[in-house]
Amino acid sequence: MTPNHQTNSTLLDRALGAFLGLAVGDALGATVEFMTAREIAVQYRTHKEIIGGGWLHLKPGRVTDDTEMSLALGSALIASGGWNPRAIADAFVKWMQSNPVDIGNACRRGISRYIADGSLSAPFAEENGGNGAAMRNLPTVFASLANEDVLIQRSIEQAHITHDHPLSDAATAALACMTRWLLLEGAQAPCDKMANDLIAQHPAFAFKPWPGKTSGYIVHTVQTVFDGFFNTGSFEECLVRVVNRGGDADTTGALAGQLAGALYGVQGIPARWLKKLDPAVTAAIYKQTPQLLKLS
């Protein structure tokens, strides 16, 4: 399938839904990051408003490294006029040196290694099995819609700047391919097959019934995101289900928002959440998204 199989306006609506959905999920989930589901229920009953706070003491609508690294990757592709892993790594360096509100350990290690020796691939390590590569990959999808094989190759290339782990690779590629399909066709059903294929190759990702873990380990992240995405019927229902499980809720929220936003489009995102989102982030997403799509 190619972008020519539907109108440009439909594709743009879904793409904006995915990117804004990622940012909304990040901002919503950040409030309850590292809390347990029981703690969330005691404090909020159901957490469903973008109110900031949390362990990072964020202003309402502020995003974290999930959205910021995605925007950094997007800016590198736009400035380069196409795929350029070194430009991506340089953009990550610039972002890390800007004193971000949060940065994962594997991302910090990988970017620091790149500064030290210029290498574009981290060595394999078990501790690189986190979700930091998958969470930032959406601009790669936008710029690679025309060819799934190219998308998978590029997704793993950007992942390896900081993460070299087979489960991270597999999940990053699978989430990218699901998002691509949703953007091009707007159908959820084929994503079931993609999830089943991932589980067939890597049984650790099995999520039925949901195993109940919400750490930053890529397996736990994917299980929580899939459980939310495949068992709900709206963007809001999906995000509320996911973030109220706590743990690494900014990233599970971001990835669930990416998938649900691609499926339901901008119109499916609650207006009250979009209004709360940091205006600078919203403006950057609206600027980057059509430019990235033109690279595909």
Side-chain angles (χ1 to χ4, degrees), residues 199-224:
I199 293 164
Q201 294 172 13
H202 301 280
F205 287 108
F207 66 99
K208 299 176 183 179
W210 179 62
K213 297 181 180 179
T214 57
S215 78
Y217 179 40
I218 189 62
V219 170
H220 300 162
T221 295
V222 168
Q223 289 169 332
T224 302

Side-chain angles (χ1 to χ4, degrees), residues 6 12 19 53 64 76-77 93 117 121 123 139 212 228 234 240 279 283 291:
Q6 90 273 287
L12 181 60
F19 213 158
T64 72
L77 298 184
V93 171
D117 64 19
S121 183
S234 71
V240 169
Q291 294 177 299

